[in-house]
Amino acid sequence: MNRRQPQIKLQAFLANLPMFSEMNGADLDRIAAHTLPHYAEKGQSICQCGDPCTGFHLVVYGQVKLGFTSAQGIEKVVEIVRPGQSFGEALMFLDAPYIVFAQALSDSMLLHVAKQAVFDELARDPGFSRRMLSGLSRRLHGLVRDVEAYTLRSSQERVIGYLLAELRDDADASPVEVHLSAGKSVIASRLNMTPEHFSRILHELGNAGLIEIHGRTVRIPDLERLRGYRV
Amino acid sequence: MNRRQPQIKLQAFLANLPMFSEMNGADLDRIAAHTLPHYAEKGQSICQCGDPCTGFHLVVYGQVKLGFTSAQGIEKVVEIVRPGQSFGEALMFLDAPYIVFAQALSDSMLLHVAKQAVFDELARDPGFSRRMLSGLSRRLHGLVRDVEAYTLRSSQERVIGYLLAELRDDADASPVEVHLSAGKSVIASRLNMTPEHFSRILHELGNAGLIEIHGRTVRIPDLERLRGYRV
DNA sequence: GCGCGGCTTTGATCTAGGTTAAATGTAGCC
DNA sequence: GGCTACATTTAACCTAGATCAAAGCCGCGC
């Protein structure tokens, strides 16, 4: 109805992201002018390995998985991207094509922010550069943690780590429930194991009384006990 | 003898790095004023996991390994840093302590550039921000490639990949020699396998006629054949 | 309610790569 | 040269986790 409505919402959404926080109206207008919404249905591909990079992507709602496909067609999920998170920034600065694919895990809305808008803003606003550097650093840090987990931790430790990380801001009063936000096969791949093995580990932890599994909901009766569990 | 000599050399060294290229004399002076040389003998620790980050490190000569240590004391090398390369930038932007340790693999000289000098320069020079973003992006990209290798490639493929990557700018005229720049155990750890397994793979490749091993020198008679080798 | 197609679980079996241990090099260093 | 200390190799054996195959389960459309 009102043509300006989407435009206004767009800027309000951007303003709430760490990357664009502290920007004034004019700055946001410039970014918004180079931003395009993109709706993807569950299962739909957002970008493919090899595609050129023309900007970066923000998830507004829904869920997106990033991953690679091996020569034999095996798929490995590197990251599950949630609302408010973004991907593809690094590629903008490298002029390199995507090395991962992105696919919607559920019906999702994304925003595509054109490279040029970002570059212009970087040249104009040192604060924006700093936030961009922070964002990339956080990503890098997370990836190093992932490498540590893949190379130095057992599957069981990775599963426990995942469950504990999913709590985030939730209460730490001990009887907690974690809701698995994606299918178990996707989570298994993200943790670098087969769905079968993931299932077995979940049940082992269940038998040990550390968790209770009800479909996609995992109840943790005693957080500290799960934190300290070995073998 | 001449007190100014080291200062001048310092700026000349910095000016040759991608990160500081295109900087004018005054800019370089400001950076150099907050840069301290650091000499580390082979085996000496440069920083430990948990240390606070006060700036980033540049390798002038020598070689530095970055890695983590598991709770059981097992060590995993994440990266081997060579002259002209740097590490620890991301941590500056996160105000987080080191999650890896750094140790000299051979007698090395490093430079420590203080956080403040970087931050001042970022606020002053958008070009520097861009180069910093490129640098971090490159690092991120490399890590994603590593994750792909760790999760989707066999040990043998990782070894072949490593040998081919070590060629870099070297001639691609087919009889090539690669010199392993670090001990085999360090390289094995970098490739996420045991020294024993690394040794076995090298000999398998040798038996298949793909490489010839002479101590730390590996001769590759036919590059294309090594590139295309499977199982 | 019924049946179809995709997830998830379970069990049996297999294997890449790790572990252990001992032999063999090799590099400094007196 | 000969010694010591460490790096590398070799061989035998073992295990975490993958693969394969067959049920269950569960949500969804009709």
Side-chain angles (χ1 to χ4, degrees), chain B residues 21-229:
Chain B
S21 67
E22 298 175 46
M23 270 195 178
N24 63 40
D27 294 338
L28 286 170
D29 284 344
R30 277 194 304 270
I31 297 289
H34 292 88
T35 299
L36 282 176
H38 175 51
Y39 297 86
E41 289 181 7
K42 179 174 175 168
Q44 202 178 317
S45 159
I46 290 149
C47 58
Q48 304 198 306
C49 181
D51 284 356
C53 167
T54 58
F56 75 97
H57 302 264
L58 280 163
V59 177
V60 180
Y61 64 74
Q63 233 180 1
V64 172
K65 75 173 174 194
L66 307 183
F68 3 69
T69 312
S70 77
Q72 301 86 56
I74 303 159
E75 190 176 281
K76 154 71 183 136
V77 177
V78 200
E79 196 59 273
I80 299 171
V81 189
R82 296 172 191 205
Q85 299 184 310
S86 53
F87 62 93
E89 299 97 319
L91 259 10
M92 294 192 296
F93 302 107
L94 292 179
D95 257 319
Y98 284 92
I99 52 174
V100 297
F101 66 82
Q103 188 187 22
L105 283 175
S106 56
D107 293 351
S108 304
M109 177 184 174
L110 299 129
L111 297 175
H112 181 268
V113 182
K115 206 166 168 169
Q116 202 50 57
V118 175
F119 285 6
D120 289 348
E121 208 56 32
L122 286 174
R124 186 175 279 124
D125 177 4
F128 182 58
S129 299
R130 269 295 282 284
R131 292 191 298 275
M132 200 62 145
L133 283 165
S134 294
L136 279 185
S137 296
R138 196 172 322 281
R139 196 80 44 90
L140 197 59
H141 204 254
L143 259 183
V144 171
R145 292 194 134 312
D146 281 347
V147 170
E148 197 231 8
Y150 293 145
T151 60
L152 238 34
R153 301 201 189 282
S154 70
S155 299
Q156 196 180 69
E157 289 175 301
R158 294 202 297 279
V159 171
I160 293 177
Y162 180 82
L163 291 175
L164 293 173
E166 282 296 272
L167 297 174
R168 294 253 160 66
D169 14 284
D170 292 23
D172 40 13
S174 234
V176 207
E177 288 201 341
V178 178
H179 183 76
L180 303 181
S181 58
K184 293 187 184 173
S185 322
V186 173
I187 296 175
S189 175
R190 166 72 243 256
L191 296 176
N192 198 29
M193 62 188 83
T194 57
E196 291 92 332
H197 197 201
F198 182 55
S199 175
R200 274 187 275 263
I201 289 173
L202 242 28
H203 285 260
E204 272 170 39
L205 294 178
N207 292 337
L210 292 160
I211 60 174
E212 293 162 29
I213 310 153
H214 305 106
R216 278 195 179 183
T217 301
V218 177
R219 217 180 98 86
I220 306 174
D222 185 346
L223 265 181
E224 284 316 315
R225 207 152 78 79
L226 186 62
R227 276 209 187 88
Y229 190 63

Side-chain angles (χ1 to χ4, degrees), chain A residues 184-185 196 199-200 203:
Chain A
K184 293 186 183 172
S185 323
E196 293 93 327
S199 174
R200 274 187 267 264
H203 284 261

Side-chain angles (χ1 to χ4, degrees), chain A residues 50-64:
Chain A
D51 284 356
C53 167
T54 59
F56 76 97
H57 302 265
L58 280 164
V59 177
V60 180
Y61 63 75
Q63 235 181 359
V64 172

